[in-house]
Amino acid sequence: MVPEIMYSEIKCVLCQRCVNACPVNAIKVINGKIHIDRELCNVCGLCWEACLNEALKVAGKEVTVKEVLSIVEKDRIFYERSGGGVTLSGGEPLMQAEFSAALLAACKKKGLNTAIETSGYQKWELFLPILENTDLVLLDIKMMNTDLHRKIIGVPNNLILDNARKIVELGKDIIVRIPIIPGYNDSIENLRNTAEFAANIGIKEVHLLPYHRLGESKYNQLGRIYNLKDVNVPSTNYIESLTQIFIKNNLKTQVGG
Amino acid sequence: MLEAKVYCFDEKFRLPITPRIKKMREEIVEAKPILCSERAILVTESYKETENEPAVIRRAKALKKVLENMTVNIWDGELIVGNHGGNGRRSAPVFPEWGTYWLEKELDEILETRTQDRFIVPQKVKDDLKSIFPYWKGKTVYERYRAILPEETKKARDAYIFTRDLFERGGYGHVAYDTPKVLKVGFKGIKEEILEKLRKLEKTCAEDQQKRLFYEALLITSDAIINFAHRFSEKAKSLAATETNPTRKKELEKISEVCAWVPENPPRDFWEAIQTAWFLQLVVQIESNGNSVSPGRLDQYLYPFYSKDIEEGRLTIAEAQELIDCFWLKLNEIIKVWDKEATRVHPGFPMTQDVTIGGQTPEGYDATNDLSYLMLNAQEHIRLQNPQFTVRIHRNTPDEFLMRVAEVVRLGTGMPAMFGDEICIPAIIRTTGVPLDRARDYRIVGCVELTPRGLQGRANGAYFNVARIVDLAINDGVDRLTGEKIGPSTGDPNNFKTFEEVIDAVKKQMKYFIEQNVINNLIVDMVQRELTPHVFLSSIVEGCIEKGKDITWGGSLYGVTPIQCAGMATAADSLAAIKKVIFDDKKITMAELNEALDSDFEGEKGEQIRKILLNAPKYGNDDDEADRWVREITNIFFDEVESHKDIDGRPYTNFILTLGSTVPHGWRTGATADGRKAKTPVSDSMSPTNGADKNGPTAVLKSASKIDQIRIMQGNVLNLKFSRTALEGDMALRKFVQLVRTYLVDLKGMELQVNVVDAATLRDAQRHPEKYQDLIIRVAGYSARFIELAKELQDDLIARTEHSMI
């Protein structure tokens, strides 16, 4: 995981200060637009410093457990009142499993409530140390058909489902979260299978997360392609009808997280 | 007094708006502000008749004349009666006693065409007013004040470092008058008390002869309000005689009965009690044009009448609700005409008539009662500018009450504002020394002024721009925009070797201008003593009858004068930037800074310096490096303010509130070292500079809690912005309630008010993203920074926001 430069076209006035500031010539103006060659860019930050309009900024930075903890500690007074705490979320905390484990352990040591939001895709021996210091697991189950899972998400789902079982066996609080993405995983069959699976292994609660497009501008700013442009946001009524499948399986069901 | 009890929210206290209230609300919304000359003409006649009499008597007779002769109206459907002006639902009387010079200038064109707070001015009103201007020439408070203001102070005042604004040409209003006493004894009882005092005077003593005049004046105004009520009784009776609708006929007969009885006598039921409260609120505002006249803790004062009526089966909850709603509507009929300058500082007719609910009893028990809930309903029903609606919160405030408060906040009127007893009560005691039970019975007066019973706040004691104080300190006392030397010499800034020298210069500039501010106030207050005693008001403020002194002469039991700190974050961020950029990192020199500020960051170099300054630490991010400078600048301000005593020998105290003064103060402020461009607004109240807070609401609250709020006895304002969707659903609301509790109870914050952002704001955020860095928008179970989202999504959210608007 490395920091990346984010570029916002809306804020840019094309003054080209960044072009001149870049020591490796990674920024060019092509067809009246700023173009960043992300192969060349070494994220030195000079372009960001040169920009007067905050059109450029660095996304992500390297931090130590201690640094994160000092930020977390600042809001302790609010957690004490609300019973809130620390949630490690996306990206994906399991991609930095060792760091996540160390951070959660440090939070627990400070007496803070902890949660993770995860795809669940990680070897159990790396996952377990994280779970040891996690009070609540928010686990994505995107689809039950493993072939489709492999085709659309890129990996099979066995590991995720196995992990789900093991988390329940550990006695951890767990909530299954299902992003509802029209045309991909919103078939009645998939959702019924998910509900049955969850109920079978002893899960009590699910959250349905209707697809939204909040991520699109971030993709653009990072120079990545957003593949779900054509997917429509599902209607409230539709989502409401889907909740019935879960309620029938005696699962506490909520729309949104 | 109420007992300690655990309150349980009952759905029966959630009531819908009735057709009557809905219709009257529409009439008020549609009524255009109109100028009325009746009062001005009557007061002028009275003044001409009383030229040989002392000021107290002249004031009393003038009020009597107005109350006896002004038009009385009872509008269709009204249950609570009493009108402010004579020619419409939002009719503004004129108060020539305090100043006519501006009206002469603005009458013909400006009032009808200015960009905000416009008035309809009928030709007859113009002619009437023009006929009295010659009489008032040289006789008004404003002219006297300007004539005797020392030259040096005049120069400082006109340089606009501070402005007392409409209080240089208007009456006093910030008083916690004693509604409970009138509810207990009526004006009959007050008159008996005055007569008793008169009997006991030592007739050969000069001081007592002064008191005699004062008491005689009080008797005149007491009879005047009683007879004023009787006029409404007669009016209702005559309307009843011709009324064909039997229900309305009965209502009019009841109104007639009520006004024949109160406020002369103590009320016998809830209706009479609330009518009494309205007569007090109204007549104080006909006597003078003082601002922020506040009914106070109505849920507490009215509760005994309500509970008795309910117990005895004479009143239903729904009937009580309608009476409260009627009172809420009446507050919105009050409207005043101010000059163009005052309108800039106070745009949008803020009468700031504060109603406070919740909090604690004098004994320290939770004070929430049925009426607290009904008043929340009233706010939900009326949703107009008045009252300035406030709820007090303490460690034992019930959760269900706070949830209901949050529901009303979510409607988006920014009200009720929420105050924390945990800091307010100690702050009141620290400055005024009132006993604990009295402090616990405080109410909010005006916008945010903490006011225990019997206290007169001589608010405002001016909006004082601390951003310019910092700028004068790095410019040797020279006004950056005019080049004129207005402050003391505090040394060539280029020779400052350490940051401490900057701070020393700030202290010297502060000392000088606070002193000038205090002199300016003293002169205004001297003139008010001489020309405009507030006789009627004095009859209902604790202490005045006892001491035989008008409130302008220090008659109230307690008093303070506050000075408002404006541009706090601009000043603090400027100090943080100077320290970091010039003295720590040595990125630029003081000379380069001054050059950039003089040119308003012109050219490539100017822009680069501005960027460096903008990147320096900023207040509002829970960053100790930046927040220590907000502590520093506020404490320098507090120290200077608190070193003075006011005209009555009572404490000067602090106030962090700007209202609209951020704009006119901004116009007179050149570019500042925090990176702010010249002539743009200075920072608002206690809030961070727009867009400077980037770490979310918890960080803002933490930063604000580092200021020594116990020193801000007359209150402060902290604004938080939320999108409507951010507070949707019970879960979100519950989290919001916990956030409020953390700030007000655990962090001992003083005040919090929430803006629920609507579509128009979101559109503005699209056009000016730089101003809305902190705008968090919630979409489903997920929140994001609005300005970071794609245009299309923003449009979508705007559409959704509009959709969710009620």
Side-chain angles (χ1 to χ4, degrees):
Chain A
M1 304 293 285
V2 288
E4 292 173 64
I5 293 284
M6 281 179 98
Y7 164 66
S8 164
E9 209 179 312
I10 307 173
K11 295 181 190 169
C12 178
V13 297
L14 286 172
C15 68
Q16 306 199 20
R17 282 191 175 83
C18 55
V19 176
N20 300 328
C22 182
V24 294
N25 296 324
I27 308 181
K28 291 190 174 66
V29 179
I30 301 171
N31 295 333
K33 279 185 175 178
I34 293 286
H35 178 84
I36 302 171
D37 185 335
R38 290 173 190 275
E39 294 286 308
L40 285 178
C41 171
N42 58 10
V43 202
C44 67
L46 288 176
C47 60
W48 168 75
E49 282 203 15
C51 178
L52 296 177
N53 300 294
E54 300 199 355
L56 288 164
K57 65 178 181 186
V58 182
K61 66 176 176 188
E62 293 211 9
V63 284
T64 64
V65 167
K66 211 175 145 194
E67 282 165 346
V68 177
L69 212 58
S70 74
I71 295 168
V72 168
E73 274 283 314
K74 281 188 168 182
D75 278 352
R76 173 183 281 276
I77 197 161
F78 294 96
Y79 313 142
E80 281 174 357
R81 176 64 72 175
S82 64
V86 178
T87 303
L88 302 190
S89 68
E92 171 52 61
L94 297 188
M95 281 183 79
Q96 305 175 62
E98 265 178 71
F99 180 83
S100 297
L103 178 57
L104 290 165
C107 288
K108 272 292 38 135
K109 227 177 178 172
K110 293 269 182 187
L112 295 167
N113 188 286
T114 57
I116 57 169
E117 233 178 21
T118 177
S119 70
Y121 187 77
Q122 182 55 280
K123 280 183 277 185
W124 185 247
E125 57 264 39
L126 288 175
F127 203 164
L128 187 59
I130 290 177
L131 293 168
E132 277 166 357
N133 288 299
T134 301
D135 296 314
L136 172 66
V137 182
L138 300 161
L139 180 78
D140 273 15
I141 294 185
K142 298 184 186 77
M143 51 180 71
M144 292 303 290
N145 182 316
T146 195
D147 290 336
L148 271 178
H149 200 282
R150 190 201 306 270
K151 194 173 147 211
I152 293 171
I153 294 159
V155 296
N157 64 3
N158 326 39
L159 183 58
I160 297 166
L161 300 181
D162 278 351
N163 283 344
R165 269 189 212 99
K166 287 178 182 164
I167 295 166
V168 177
E169 279 163 21
L170 268 184
K172 288 283 161 190
D173 281 341
I174 174 168
I175 296 171
V176 162
R177 292 189 146 185
I178 307 154
I180 306 288
I181 304 163
Y184 288 85
N185 71 343
D186 66 333
S187 72
I188 303 290
E189 187 196 355
N190 179 49
L191 295 173
R192 193 183 298 128
N193 289 342
T194 312
E196 282 168 7
F197 170 80
N200 272 336
I201 67 168
I203 280 166
K204 302 275 187 295
E205 187 173 352
V206 296
H207 292 170
L208 303 188
L209 310 181
Y211 170 70
H212 61 68
R213 294 174 66 167
L214 283 173
E216 186 175 354
S217 60
K218 258 189 194 161
Y219 272 74
N220 294 340
Q221 291 182 32
L222 288 166
R224 294 183 196 170
I225 295 166
Y226 190 77
N227 280 324
L228 298 184
K229 267 191 190 328
D230 300 328
V231 176
N232 288 324
V233 174
S235 76
T236 318
N237 285 345
Y238 178 59
I239 295 290
E240 221 32 69
S241 73
L242 297 182
T243 59
Q244 292 310 318
I245 299 171
F246 294 86
I247 292 168
K248 265 188 213 140
N249 281 280
N250 295 320
L251 291 158
K252 189 177 167 203
T253 309
Q254 172 184 321
V255 176
Chain B
M1 269 303 153
L2 304 175
E3 312 158 9
K5 60 172 181 178
V6 179
Y7 198 90
C8 233
F9 181 56
D10 188 326
E11 284 294 323
K12 76 178 180 213
F13 293 117
R14 193 194 293 277
L15 293 166
I17 188 168
T18 63
R20 174 208 307 272
I21 300 298
K22 207 168 169 191
K23 181 167 167 290
M24 287 203 292
R25 182 185 182 277
E26 276 162 21
E27 284 163 10
I28 288 199
V29 170
E30 278 162 24
K32 295 260 179 303
I34 184 165
L35 208 61
C36 172
S37 55
E38 254 184 10
R39 184 191 179 282
I41 293 289
L42 291 165
V43 165
T44 309
E45 276 175 23
S46 176
Y47 263 62
K48 284 179 181 167
E49 291 158 11
T50 57
E51 283 185 349
N52 60 339
E53 303 205 53
V56 277
I57 301 290
R58 298 187 80 185
R59 297 297 302 149
K61 286 189 173 170
L63 179 65
K64 177 172 183 265
K65 182 124 190 161
V66 174
L67 296 183
E68 276 175 359
N69 294 288
M70 67 178 272
T71 307
V72 295
N73 287 318
I74 293 177
W75 308 109
D76 220 17
E78 275 196 322
L79 301 176
I80 301 300
V81 300
N83 53 291
H84 186 215
N87 59 353
R89 208 59 182 264
R90 298 179 77 203
S91 156
V94 172
F95 296 76
E97 309 96 295
W98 280 274
T100 47
Y101 75 100
W102 61 269
L103 199 54
E104 270 191 85
K105 242 180 3 201
E106 301 184 16
L107 186 61
D108 272 332
E109 281 176 23
I110 298 174
L111 282 181
E112 292 159 288
T113 58
R114 62 194 189 186
T115 54
Q116 50 197 5
D117 295 15
R118 267 185 227 160
F119 278 90
I120 296 172
V121 191
Q123 189 56 45
K124 157 106 175 54
V125 171
K126 278 188 194 173
D127 295 344
D128 280 352
L129 292 174
K130 283 180 188 166
S131 77
I132 62 162
F133 289 148
Y135 175 77
W136 289 101
K137 199 148 256 156
K139 296 192 179 74
T140 67
V141 167
Y142 183 77
E143 285 157 292
R144 179 69 60 88
Y145 143 71
R146 289 297 289 191
I148 63 175
L149 193 62
E151 271 313 310
E152 188 183 5
T153 307
K154 199 180 275 179
K155 189 177 158 197
R157 163 66 182 85
D158 295 344
Y160 215 75
I161 299 292
F162 56 87
T163 168
R164 205 179 183 188
D165 190 62
L166 58 99
F167 300 87
E168 290 160 357
R169 43 200 182 271
Y172 296 115
H174 294 78
V175 185
Y177 65 79
D178 197 355
T179 307
K181 178 181 174 182
V182 183
L183 293 176
K184 206 170 147 201
V185 304
F187 275 88
K188 203 179 185 179
I190 288 175
K191 278 172 64 184
E192 279 163 18
E193 190 186 345
I194 296 166
L195 288 168
E196 181 61 26
K197 282 279 175 196
L198 268 171
R199 272 194 290 275
K200 286 191 178 151
L201 288 179
E202 198 69 59
K203 294 204 177 66
T204 56
C205 158
E207 200 187 322
D208 277 18
Q209 283 298 338
Q210 285 296 334
K211 289 183 185 175
R212 174 182 65 86
L213 293 169
F214 173 65
Y215 289 136
E216 283 170 359
L218 291 189
L219 289 175
I220 294 171
T221 57
S222 299
D223 283 331
I225 188 174
I226 292 168
N227 293 333
F228 185 51
H230 290 169
R231 293 184 65 207
F232 283 95
S233 176
E234 289 304 316
K235 175 92 182 176
K237 196 191 276 176
S238 72
L239 287 172
T242 56
E243 178 63 53
T244 52
N245 178 335
T247 319
R248 183 62 184 157
K249 192 181 181 76
K250 254 181 98 184
E251 284 171 4
L252 287 163
E253 283 163 0
K254 170 74 179 172
I255 291 169
S256 177
E257 197 186 305
V258 168
C259 296
W261 186 258
V262 293
E264 181 172 11
N265 302 288
R268 297 164 296 192
D269 61 19
F270 184 67
W271 189 324
E272 289 181 349
I274 206 161
Q275 178 67 58
T276 303
W278 175 245
F279 275 134
L280 297 182
Q281 180 67 12
L282 178 64
V283 173
V284 170
Q285 298 185 88
I286 293 175
E287 179 182 43
S288 97
N289 58 351
N291 198 28
S292 303
V293 175
S294 299
R297 303 182 75 185
L298 285 184
D299 61 341
Q300 305 305 303
Y301 311 153
L302 298 174
Y303 186 74
F305 299 92
Y306 163 87
S307 67
K308 189 158 177 280
D309 283 5
I310 293 275
E311 265 166 36
E312 292 171 7
R314 271 185 292 151
L315 179 78
T316 65
I317 295 172
E319 285 164 353
Q321 182 70 58
E322 250 197 343
L323 288 166
I324 294 170
D325 286 5
C326 283
F327 185 89
W328 245 242
L329 286 170
K330 287 310 273 184
L331 291 170
N332 286 288
E333 285 184 26
I334 303 285
I335 189 165
K336 303 276 195 227
V337 60
W338 293 328
D339 59 285
K340 209 166 67 176
E341 185 198 334
T343 301
R344 277 184 206 127
V345 178
H346 308 88
F349 303 114
M351 295 299 120
T352 50
Q353 308 168 82
D354 198 293
V355 173
T356 306
I357 61 167
Q360 300 170 60
T361 65
E363 299 81 4
Y365 297 128
D366 177 55
T368 314
N369 63 34
D370 294 3
L371 291 180
S372 320
Y373 285 95
L374 298 189
M375 287 176 188
L376 285 168
N377 290 340
Q379 184 62 25
E380 189 169 62
H381 297 161
I382 309 302
R383 282 190 233 179
L384 294 173
Q385 234 170 346
N386 289 294
Q388 170 77 15
F389 190 40
T390 297
V391 56
R392 282 175 44 184
I393 290 161
H394 60 107
R395 59 188 185 283
N396 295 324
T397 296
D399 245 354
E400 57 266 43
F401 179 58
L402 206 39
M403 281 293 281
R404 182 72 185 119
V405 167
E407 278 182 0
V408 177
V409 165
R410 183 165 63 183
L411 298 172
T413 58
M415 292 188 277
M418 294 166 279
F419 280 75
D421 280 4
E422 309 304 328
I423 188 77
C424 290
I425 292 170
I428 289 168
I429 293 175
R430 177 185 173 274
T431 298
T432 64
V434 305
L436 181 58
D437 59 340
R438 200 175 268 274
R440 281 198 190 117
D441 194 22
Y442 80 92
R443 77 196 67 176
I444 301 303
V445 158
C447 299
V448 294
E449 298 86 308
L450 316 179
T451 311
R453 214 164 4 98
L455 182 127
Q456 177 196 9
R458 281 180 195 272
N460 68 44
Y463 298 91
F464 186 99
N465 184 358
V466 292
R468 270 173 87 194
I469 293 297
V470 171
D471 195 51
L472 287 167
I474 56 166
N475 210 22
D476 201 15
V478 174
D479 185 337
R480 193 169 298 282
L481 287 180
T482 63
E484 196 190 339
K485 178 108 172 170
I486 56 169
S489 289
T490 43
D492 179 349
N494 296 323
N495 297 335
F496 291 163
K497 295 279 176 297
T498 63
F499 184 65
E500 283 62 44
E501 289 175 66
V502 177
I503 294 291
D504 279 347
V506 169
K507 285 181 180 164
K508 284 179 194 145
Q509 298 290 347
M510 190 78 86
K511 187 179 173 57
Y512 176 78
F513 282 103
I514 290 286
E515 203 172 284
Q516 294 306 318
N517 191 154
V518 166
I519 296 168
N520 185 67
N521 290 352
L522 185 58
I523 300 297
V524 175
D525 294 337
M526 279 166 59
V527 175
Q528 299 260 14
R529 277 188 172 182
E530 187 193 339
L531 298 181
T532 49
H534 291 44
V535 181
F536 175 73
L537 182 56
S538 298
S539 73
I540 52 172
V541 171
E542 268 180 290
C544 294
I545 296 179
E546 187 55 39
K547 295 190 215 168
K549 270 188 184 173
D550 189 85
I551 64 156
T552 55
W553 286 84
S556 62
L557 267 191
Y558 301 94
V560 292
T561 302
I563 297 182
Q564 276 112 311
C565 177
M568 180 197 81
T570 308
D573 292 347
S574 296
L575 287 177
I578 294 166
K579 166 96 167 37
K580 172 102 175 129
V581 172
I582 297 180
F583 291 95
D584 293 352
D585 298 354
K586 302 190 168 43
K587 274 193 180 163
I588 58 171
T589 64
M590 185 67 84
E592 285 172 312
L593 174 67
N594 269 319
E595 200 179 310
L597 296 181
D598 282 341
S599 73
D600 198 13
F601 306 114
E602 218 179 61
E604 174 78 17
K605 192 170 174 201
E607 277 188 57
Q608 264 161 4
I609 288 178
R610 178 159 187 248
K611 158 112 182 175
I612 292 169
L613 297 171
L614 286 172
N615 281 333
K618 299 275 183 269
Y619 162 70
N621 294 295
D622 195 13
D623 170 0
D624 285 338
E625 197 188 338
D627 295 342
R628 67 179 286 203
W629 301 114
V630 85
R631 279 182 57 80
E632 182 80 20
I633 191 72
T634 50
N635 281 326
I636 293 171
F637 174 82
F638 298 161
D639 286 346
E640 284 308 322
V641 171
E642 287 177 0
S643 73
H644 294 280
K645 293 265 187 275
D646 71 10
I647 187 168
D648 302 321
R650 303 199 275 211
Y652 258 93
T653 186
N654 309 296
F655 200 173
I656 303 191
L657 174 81
T658 53
L659 303 187
S661 74
T662 53
V663 174
H665 269 318
W667 289 339
R668 301 289 291 265
T669 311
T672 41
D674 61 334
R676 179 190 142 281
K677 300 272 274 179
K679 299 183 184 177
T680 61
V682 295
S683 66
D684 159 70
S685 300
M686 213 166 71
S687 309
T689 296
N690 263 344
D693 53 315
K694 297 184 177 179
N695 293 343
T698 57
V700 173
L701 299 180
K702 286 281 301 291
S703 283
S705 71
K706 293 175 200 172
I707 297 167
D708 283 332
Q709 296 193 28
I710 194 166
R711 303 184 74 176
I712 315 172
M713 188 256 157
Q714 284 277 280
N716 64 53
V717 162
L718 189 63
N719 276 305
L720 283 185
K721 266 185 256 149
F722 285 96
S723 72
R724 199 172 288 278
T725 47
L727 300 175
E728 249 166 36
D730 271 9
M731 278 250 284
L733 211 58
R734 202 157 283 286
K735 280 185 201 156
F736 170 72
V737 161
Q738 301 308 353
L739 188 79
V740 170
R741 266 196 206 277
T742 306
Y743 181 62
L744 297 181
V745 177
D746 302 330
L747 288 170
K748 300 209 182 346
M750 187 170 276
E751 193 260 16
L752 190 58
Q753 59 190 38
V754 172
N755 264 308
V756 179
V757 177
D758 58 10
T761 314
L762 295 181
R763 268 190 221 102
D764 194 50
Q766 277 187 318
R767 285 189 295 268
H768 307 286
E770 70 283 1
K771 290 197 307 203
Y772 293 92
Q773 297 274 353
D774 57 340
L775 179 58
I776 306 290
I777 189 135
R778 198 173 169 84
V779 188
Y782 183 94
S783 297
R785 269 213 229 159
F786 182 76
I787 56 159
E788 306 270 22
L789 303 171
K791 170 82 167 52
E792 302 88 307
L793 181 65
Q794 290 179 344
D795 289 344
D796 180 25
L797 290 169
I798 289 171
R800 219 186 288 184
T801 310
E802 277 183 323
H803 198 67
S804 66
M805 270 170 77
I806 304 153

